[in-house]
Amino acid sequence: MKILARRLIPYFILLFLPLLASASSVRRVDMAEVAGSAQLVFEGRVIAKHIEHTPGSRAIHTWVKFEILDLIKGQYDQPSIELSFLGGTAGDLSVTVSDMQIPAMGEHGIYFVEDISRPLVNPLYGWDQGHFLVQFDKDLRRQTVSTLGGQPVFGLDLGSLEKSRQELSKGIARGVLTEPQASRAGPLDPGDFKALLRGVVQ
């Protein structure tokens, strides 16, 4: 059975290649759009993960369960939420979507969910652009917010959308300030980050 599965992997990849190639072409968006268009925004922590693969199907999904620590935008009355990400490994079969990082166990972050009612390749708005990490900075001795790529967030420009600009995402939305600001002593902590968002979305 394992030998057969290994022989099928190249055909499996070929079948999915068009889907995965198009899925990783994500447009760069403004942070105002991320905050305004996301159906649900929350601070949370990953507490469980499981793989879903129906025998005979061509898709593998990783379900990530988040404990909701603070609901910033949207209506949701449960203490946790599960989100499905395309990709994962089930036995000898593996699906990887380029440019997508599935949240890790124990990860603490702020998440902008595009739509909780329908399955998406990546449920986070703008993929990496709607995925922020909360980490403890040993030098500053406090929690700070960073982009998924690890760049500290010093501020958010949540002004008007720049609809005329069309470009592919490099992981950071326009309006996420990753350079030190004269008005701030350091990167945003989760409270300041959420306060800026609540001033726009509520």
Side-chain angles (χ1 to χ4, degrees):
M1 181 63 73
K2 288 186 177 180
I3 293 175
L4 177 60
R6 290 192 184 99
R7 289 177 178 173
L8 289 175
I9 287 175
Y11 300 99
F12 183 83
I13 293 172
L14 286 172
L15 285 168
F16 266 86
L17 191 57
L19 170 62
L20 302 187
S22 62
S24 60
S25 297
V26 178
R27 69 183 177 91
R28 191 180 188 197
V29 294
D30 293 270
M31 194 59 205
E33 179 183 341
V34 177
S37 299
Q39 182 182 11
L40 198 71
V41 182
F42 69 93
E43 178 184 1
R45 182 178 287 108
V46 178
I47 55 175
K49 296 172 72 172
H50 73 270
I51 300 294
E52 180 181 273
H53 175 231
T54 304
S57 74
R58 297 176 178 177
I60 297 175
H61 291 85
T62 298
W63 284 87
V64 181
K65 185 176 183 179
F66 299 84
E67 175 189 11
I68 296 178
L69 303 175
D70 189 12
L71 186 63
I72 302 164
K73 176 189 177 183
Q75 300 294 321
Y76 197 79
D77 58 4
Q78 300 299 315
S80 63
I81 186 171
E82 280 194 293
L83 300 176
S84 172
F85 294 77
L86 180 64
T89 299
D92 291 318
L93 297 179
S94 183
V95 172
T96 301
V97 180
S98 64
D99 302 325
M100 185 170 78
Q101 184 173 317
I102 298 174
M105 273 296 300
E107 179 183 292
H108 181 187
I110 297 173
Y111 306 94
F112 295 74
V113 184
E114 182 170 344
D115 191 334
I116 63 174
S117 65
R118 59 191 178 94
L120 298 168
V121 172
N122 186 329
L124 303 181
Y125 198 97
W127 293 33
D128 291 6
Q129 299 169 94
H131 188 170
F132 293 84
L133 301 179
V134 175
Q135 298 173 319
F136 186 79
D137 188 305
K138 293 181 180 179
D139 294 328
L140 296 175
R141 297 183 181 180
R142 63 177 175 84
Q143 289 184 325
T144 61
V145 178
S146 70
T147 67
L148 186 58
Q151 293 181 261
V153 176
F154 290 89
L156 296 175
D157 180 356
L158 297 166
S160 60
L161 304 179
E162 298 184 35
K163 294 182 179 179
S164 61
R165 298 180 60 184
Q166 297 293 327
E167 58 183 305
L168 293 181
S169 170
K170 294 182 180 179
I172 303 175
R174 286 187 294 265
V176 177
L177 308 180
T178 57
E179 297 293 334
Q181 304 295 301
S183 59
R184 291 198 57 82
L188 294 176
D189 62 33
D192 289 339
F193 186 94
K194 292 184 292 184
L196 290 173
L197 291 174
R198 286 191 167 106
V200 173
V201 301
Q202 294 185 348

